[in-house]
Amino acid sequence: MKFQEIRNNIYYCGLNDVHRKIFDELIPLEHGTSYNSYLIKGSEKIAIIDTMYPPFTEEYLKNLEENGIAKIDYIIENHGEQDHSGSIPALLKKYPEAIVVTNSKVAENIKSMLLVPDEKIKVIENNEEISLGDKTLRFLISPGVHWPDTMFTYIVEDNVISTCDFLGAHYTFDDVFAIPSEELEHSAKRYYAEIMMPFRVMCKKYTQMLKDMKVDMILPSHGPVYKEPNYILDLYSNWTSDSPENLVVLPYVSMYESTKSMIDYMAEKLGAKGIKTYKHDVVDDDLGELAMRLVDAATIVLGTSMVLAGPHPASVNLAYITSVLKPKAKFAALVGSYGWGGKLFDLISQILNPLRLDIVSEPLLVKGKPKAEDFAKLDEIVNAISEKHNSLFK
Ligand code: FEO
């Protein structure tokens, strides 16, 4: 595969993984993903920014050879996670004169995870630069998007920046340059929801930093390269804003349709009040879709059946995922149904507690199917949600 030139001796040397179906053994992928690596040919030195996911090492090295890369001076490692750092040992073996240039946190990670020896690592500080001759690489340590070790690499003369996982997308391509489309926006948002949303405040900070830098191109480590940086930066400005949308998400687990009937009823009543809703069957529906809706939602209504004497395990998992994704939602309500008894909401509430959601009403627990008095209580919850939303969206 001939490397695509991105700009003035900067080449894409990454690979598509079109068949990958799940990431981190958690997140379903709709379009596979790409592991991006960039080759920078300076007048005196050659650098490579980020390496490759280990199962693709052989193909990656073969491509370097077929593209005539006989020497690499610097392996710039923006992040220690192995989808980007995993091929460092093989790269060092093939190019023994190369040294890894990175920050102290990545250095610790690649020493422990990949056994890269100390003498092969040059540790840099924030804003430090190295020269490739006619190109300068400046390192901007940017912790929190999404690991504490993350940094960006800015190619000064080209006004181009490699942003590691930040601003990425699980997406594959033939041409490396982003073509704005609904599909790409969907993938980028899904990626943000699942990987970056827990670090929303840091994402917001770096989005503004990159806007202020007025870079010409953004080179992330998954998904396409942005020749028009404001396309992805404006999307991030929206997703990371503090203001939720007039949207209620209603994820639920329902064994005998009782909980589902309450969720359906609430969604219909909320819709009649002009509030957008998204119902999500936790067992059958795609977790990524829920994560995406949580980027925008103002309210979360969690519904669950009871198993034995506690919440259904899938709803515990749901509460945990919601809690760690740290959505910007402000309000919540809990509803559920039981057969013979137990505590349904204590554990769920405890798991959601770090989100500091305003619980709009007493949780509603129904034995078996909801009756007329239960629907009346659901009306009260719907009214409480509507009132809270009205205070945000006047
Ligand atoms: Fe794509 Fe954090 O690795």
Side-chain angles (χ1 to χ4, degrees):
M1 183 192 75
K2 189 170 182 298
F3 292 155
Q4 183 177 352
E5 188 168 18
I6 293 171
R7 160 181 284 205
N8 190 22
N9 284 324
I10 301 171
Y11 298 85
Y12 180 76
C13 59
L15 289 168
N16 285 327
D17 185 352
V18 293
H19 299 299
R20 191 159 179 181
K21 297 284 181 239
I22 194 156
F23 209 83
D24 292 343
E25 304 308 318
L26 175 68
I27 304 157
L29 299 178
E30 293 180 310
H31 305 288
T33 193
S34 68
Y35 312 110
N36 297 350
S37 179
Y38 301 98
L39 185 78
I40 322 295
K41 289 184 181 173
S43 57
E44 292 169 20
K45 306 273 188 189
I46 295 180
I48 209 157
I49 300 179
D50 291 334
T51 68
M52 184 50 57
Y53 181 48
F56 288 75
T57 299
E58 198 178 321
E59 188 179 350
Y60 177 63
L61 295 182
K62 184 165 150 274
N63 283 344
L64 287 168
E65 196 167 309
E66 285 177 0
N67 280 270
I69 308 305
K71 186 183 82 132
I72 291 173
D73 299 285
Y74 302 121
I75 300 167
I76 313 300
E77 201 52 59
N78 278 337
H79 171 34
E81 199 163 13
Q82 291 175 54
D83 52 332
H84 310 295
S85 63
S87 295
I88 290 176
L91 209 55
L92 285 173
K93 197 169 169 194
K94 186 172 177 66
Y95 299 100
E97 71 285 3
I99 58 164
V100 180
V101 179
T102 192
N103 65 68
S104 60
K105 287 196 166 70
V106 171
E108 286 311 308
N109 287 336
I110 61 174
K111 279 193 277 184
S112 63
M113 293 173 193
L114 300 165
L115 308 179
V116 178
D118 250 333
E119 63 270 21
K120 295 302 292 180
I121 303 174
K122 174 181 167 59
V123 173
I124 50 79
E125 303 293 331
N126 188 34
N127 274 317
E128 197 172 327
E129 296 180 344
I130 60 168
S131 173
L132 307 181
D134 60 349
K135 291 186 190 293
T136 310
L137 304 183
R138 181 182 300 156
F139 307 107
L140 306 175
I141 296 179
S142 316
V145 287
H146 61 136
W147 276 27
D149 69 358
T150 304
M151 70 179 193
F152 303 158
T153 299
Y154 178 57
I155 307 167
V156 177
E157 291 77 5
D158 296 279
N159 196 26
V160 162
I161 193 160
S162 150
T163 54
C164 191
D165 284 319
F166 185 52
L167 308 175
H170 288 311
Y171 206 69
T172 57
F173 41 79
D174 295 322
D175 184 302
V176 74
F177 294 117
I179 301 168
S181 67
E182 272 185 31
E183 186 179 90
L184 175 59
E185 183 178 332
H186 181 94
S187 289
K189 185 173 187 178
R190 194 173 157 108
Y191 176 100
Y192 166 78
E194 298 163 341
I195 296 170
M196 293 293 160
M197 187 160 62
F199 312 99
R200 183 172 66 88
V201 173
M202 298 308 282
C203 289
K204 193 173 175 173
K205 171 183 156 185
Y206 295 125
T207 297
Q208 192 55 52
M209 181 185 96
L210 292 171
K211 281 190 168 184
D212 293 344
M213 285 175 73
K214 298 190 185 331
V215 293
D216 286 349
M217 274 192 214
I218 288 172
L219 283 50
S221 59
H222 298 281
V225 164
Y226 293 97
K227 260 200 283 199
E228 294 169 18
N230 280 338
Y231 172 72
I232 189 71
L233 293 173
D234 287 346
L235 289 172
Y236 265 67
S237 292
N238 178 20
W239 300 334
T240 60
S241 81
D242 296 330
S243 310
E245 289 183 9
N246 195 0
L247 169 69
V248 178
V249 296
L250 303 100
Y252 65 92
V253 188
S254 188
M255 290 162 62
Y256 291 104
E257 302 271 319
S258 298
T259 300
K260 182 175 184 305
S261 68
M262 290 193 273
I263 293 292
D264 287 343
Y265 182 83
M266 291 179 74
E268 192 186 327
K269 293 287 178 180
L270 287 163
K273 288 178 180 290
I275 297 173
K276 279 189 289 177
T277 60
Y278 169 70
K279 293 186 287 183
H280 182 89
D281 182 330
V282 172
V283 177
D284 290 338
D285 294 339
D286 177 344
L287 174 64
E289 289 296 314
L290 174 64
M292 280 180 64
R293 296 325 200 283
L294 288 172
V295 171
D296 304 314
T299 296
I300 301 164
V301 176
L302 193 150
T304 180
S305 299
M306 191 176 284
V307 168
L308 298 175
H312 191 292
S315 66
V316 175
N317 189 38
L318 164 69
Y320 180 70
I321 287 172
T322 303
S323 182
V324 296
L325 288 179
K326 296 192 179 144
K328 67 178 87 156
K330 310 280 186 206
F331 314 117
L334 303 174
V335 298
S337 170
Y338 71 102
W340 51 262
K343 287 191 172 176
L344 194 53
F345 300 119
D346 289 7
L347 181 57
I348 301 273
S349 301
Q350 191 185 326
I351 295 169
L352 291 175
N353 197 40
L355 296 181
R356 299 174 184 276
L357 295 163
D358 174 356
I359 308 292
V360 300
S361 172
E362 275 294 300
L364 177 61
L365 179 59
V366 172
K367 182 169 172 61
K369 293 207 178 301
K371 328 289 182 303
E373 65 269 23
D374 302 314
F375 286 114
K377 284 181 187 157
L378 289 174
D379 285 335
E380 285 172 22
I381 298 176
V382 165
N383 287 339
I385 291 171
S386 171
E387 218 169 275
K388 298 282 186 181
H389 275 232
N390 282 341
S391 72
L392 288 181
F393 308 109
K394 279 177 190 162

